[in-house]
Amino acid sequence: MSLTSRVFGLFSTTETPAPDSPSSASYSNTSTGDHVVHATGPIRAGSDHAQKAPLDDEEEPRPLYIHAMLAGATGGSCGDMLMHSLDTVKTRQQGDPTFPPKYTSMTSSYATIYRQEGFLRGLYGGAVPAFFGSFPGTLIFFGVYEFTKRQMIDSGINPNLAYLSGGFFADLAASIVYVPSEVLKTRLQLQGRYNNPHFNSGYNYRSTRDAFRTIVRQEGYSALFYGYRATIYRDLPFSALQFAFYEQERRLAKEWVGSRDIGLGLEILTAATAGGMAGVITCPMDVVKTRIQTQQNPDSKIPASSSKPAAEHASIKESPRQHTPSQTTSSLRTHSRPISTGGASTSVAPPGAPRLDTSSFFTGLKMIYQTEGLAGWFRGVGPRGVWTSIQSGTMLVMYQYLLKKLEDYQYIGEMNPL
């Protein structure tokens, strides 16, 4: 099939297999309804289902929903924890409020953070909220992804569109869980160690619990959803592109190998390239998300979307001698700061440089481009590309491996009932 015909076939419908076809009938005796045929799913080594001929999207067995959710949650959590230190480097590069930036290249930033702040408090700052958001988030993600994908393909929708839509809706469902953890994680990553003498991020939490209590007490529960729209604007297209690339690359790999088992090398290659390409493409969204989530408005009672002029911010900061009861409460917020899009000092903006004290994703995207150009949009693209590649590779390879193991255990249980 030519490339042109594949592109035109993206939105075309596909024929569903006949009810009495061998591929469907092989799993028709299961009561759960999950073991029907589909593009992704585990194949037991040495199984009679393994074929050498290329297979269509409807001809592979589907895993049980619980298997997909557990395998995805385990793989996603392992991938996130493995690459958390590199994500910290990316967060420092994107949210660095100093000018010139302290953290520039990926390797030097990694070495600097490790040397000055250590491994656990520096590179792995924010790992606790990252884990507690990653496991339930990916559990929900893979459950919704498998359900959406199967329903759309069973309705005759082209698999490529089903993969895009599945990733989109799955991430939307999981965002309720992982966005609050993302806020805690991002702030702790930007802060580093407590009372950090090497980097002044504007934050100084003693622990994850202290960060949660401080944010809720000083800024309200809504602060845990700072940058929610910016996060889903980043993650929805990322997940859609990641799984569309991944499913398509695996299909091409199967056609090239001539078997469902494409081998560990191609499993890693398809997963890593899919995540890397999606990560690079969505880097501008990630920059806006990071800066919105690490900013705090001077007055928490003012909605994040209503930004004050720069002159008002300056007048507040330049008149510390006037203290009213409300100002005294506000002065306790030791890390109250709007983010400057110019990457300069967050207390005094350079002349003519607007501040990114907005919750509007598109306004932030526009302001960063106006003040920093394309380089601002792709700040931290190096560590983000590497991080998404390795994280995606780890998650999806473990996902496929665990699915095969879970199916083996189920098969053994069916063959040897108690």
Side-chain angles (χ1 to χ4, degrees):
M1 182 183 294
S2 64
L3 178 62
T4 304
S5 61
R6 286 179 179 174
V7 172
F8 280 110
L10 178 63
F11 296 99
S12 64
T13 58
T14 57
E15 296 181 1
T16 55
D20 56 348
S21 63
S23 60
S24 298
S26 62
Y27 285 91
S28 61
N29 60 348
T30 57
S31 60
T32 61
D34 286 325
H35 275 159
V36 290
V37 288
H38 181 52
T40 58
I43 302 297
R44 290 188 296 272
S47 171
D48 293 334
H49 300 294
Q51 302 177 8
K52 292 299 181 182
L55 301 169
D56 294 334
D57 288 304
E58 293 85 5
E59 291 184 350
E60 284 199 31
R62 298 171 175 175
L64 294 170
Y65 283 119
I66 187 64
H67 288 178
M69 294 171 70
L70 290 176
T74 304
S77 299
C78 290
D80 287 341
M81 293 300 99
L82 177 65
M83 299 309 299
H84 185 83
S85 59
L86 194 59
D87 185 53
T88 299
V89 172
K90 180 220 62 166
T91 302
R92 290 286 181 94
Q93 289 185 355
Q94 291 179 343
D96 187 355
T98 61
F99 185 80
K102 177 178 180 179
Y103 304 102
T104 53
S105 70
M106 183 171 62
T107 54
S108 65
S109 299
Y110 202 103
T112 299
I113 296 172
Y114 176 75
R115 184 180 65 255
Q116 294 180 346
E117 304 171 44
F119 188 74
L120 294 177
R121 296 294 183 180
L123 292 172
Y124 267 77
V128 173
F131 175 80
F132 283 106
S134 177
F135 189 87
T138 48
L139 188 80
I140 296 171
F141 179 93
F142 276 92
V144 175
Y145 175 73
E146 285 292 330
F147 176 80
T148 305
K149 179 178 66 174
R150 297 176 189 185
Q151 293 297 316
M152 295 184 72
I153 289 180
D154 291 345
S155 299
I157 297 175
N158 183 272
N160 293 319
L161 185 58
Y163 304 148
L164 275 169
S165 303
F168 184 92
F169 288 112
D171 204 279
L172 184 63
S175 64
I176 302 298
V177 174
Y178 71 74
V179 169
S181 69
E182 185 82 2
V183 172
L184 292 169
K185 174 187 77 75
T186 304
R187 292 191 179 188
L188 289 169
Q189 282 178 316
L190 191 64
Q191 167 192 311
R193 54 185 289 189
Y194 179 64
N195 287 333
N196 192 347
H198 306 286
F199 180 66
N200 182 18
S201 64
Y203 298 99
N204 197 29
Y205 304 115
R206 294 178 180 273
S207 62
T208 301
R209 179 180 296 181
D210 179 58
F212 177 82
R213 290 177 175 176
T214 302
I215 291 172
V216 171
R217 182 177 67 253
Q218 296 183 354
E219 304 170 59
Y221 281 101
S222 62
L224 294 173
F225 288 88
Y226 274 174
Y228 179 80
R229 284 179 294 177
T231 301
I232 63 174
Y233 283 145
R234 177 199 68 174
D235 288 344
L236 294 187
F238 171 79
S239 296
L241 290 171
Q242 178 189 27
F243 278 84
F245 289 152
Y246 175 64
E247 301 273 16
Q248 183 73 0
E249 287 181 35
R250 291 193 84 243
R251 186 184 67 81
L252 294 175
K254 291 172 189 175
E255 291 180 356
W256 185 61
V257 173
S259 171
R260 288 196 186 105
D261 187 6
I262 62 177
L264 181 60
L266 283 177
E267 288 281 7
I268 296 174
L269 180 63
T270 55
T273 54
M277 289 189 296
V280 170
I281 292 172
T282 57
C283 186
M285 297 78 157
D286 188 49
V287 173
V288 177
K289 189 274 311 181
T290 300
R291 296 200 184 179
I292 289 179
Q293 285 188 330
T294 55
Q295 77 178 354
Q296 285 186 320
N297 294 321
D299 190 348
S300 62
K301 295 181 181 181
I302 298 176
S305 59
S306 62
S307 58
K308 290 186 176 183
E312 291 184 28
H313 291 302
S315 63
I316 292 174
K317 293 180 180 296
E318 291 173 359
S319 57
R321 290 183 295 274
Q322 299 177 359
H323 294 285
T324 64
S326 61
Q327 290 173 334
T328 302
T329 303
S330 179
S331 66
L332 296 176
R333 303 186 180 97
T334 57
H335 42 260
S336 177
R337 62 180 181 86
I339 296 292
S340 170
T341 59
S345 171
T346 56
S347 58
V348 179
R355 295 177 183 272
L356 187 59
D357 53 352
T358 176
S359 62
S360 170
F361 172 81
F362 295 104
T363 300
L365 200 64
K366 179 181 177 182
M367 293 170 68
I368 292 175
Y369 178 76
Q370 289 176 340
T371 55
E372 301 177 54
L374 286 175
W377 275 3
F378 287 91
R379 195 171 179 181
V381 67
R384 175 165 172 79
V386 174
W387 181 86
T388 53
S389 295
I390 301 178
Q391 191 274 345
S392 179
T394 303
M395 176 183 71
L396 294 174
V397 170
M398 287 192 65
Y399 173 68
Q400 294 294 338
Y401 174 79
L402 291 174
L403 281 181
K404 294 177 183 178
K405 291 298 181 183
L406 289 171
E407 187 191 7
D408 287 341
Y409 294 146
Q410 181 190 10
Y411 178 75
I412 294 173
E414 292 174 353
M415 293 297 99
N416 301 286
L418 295 177

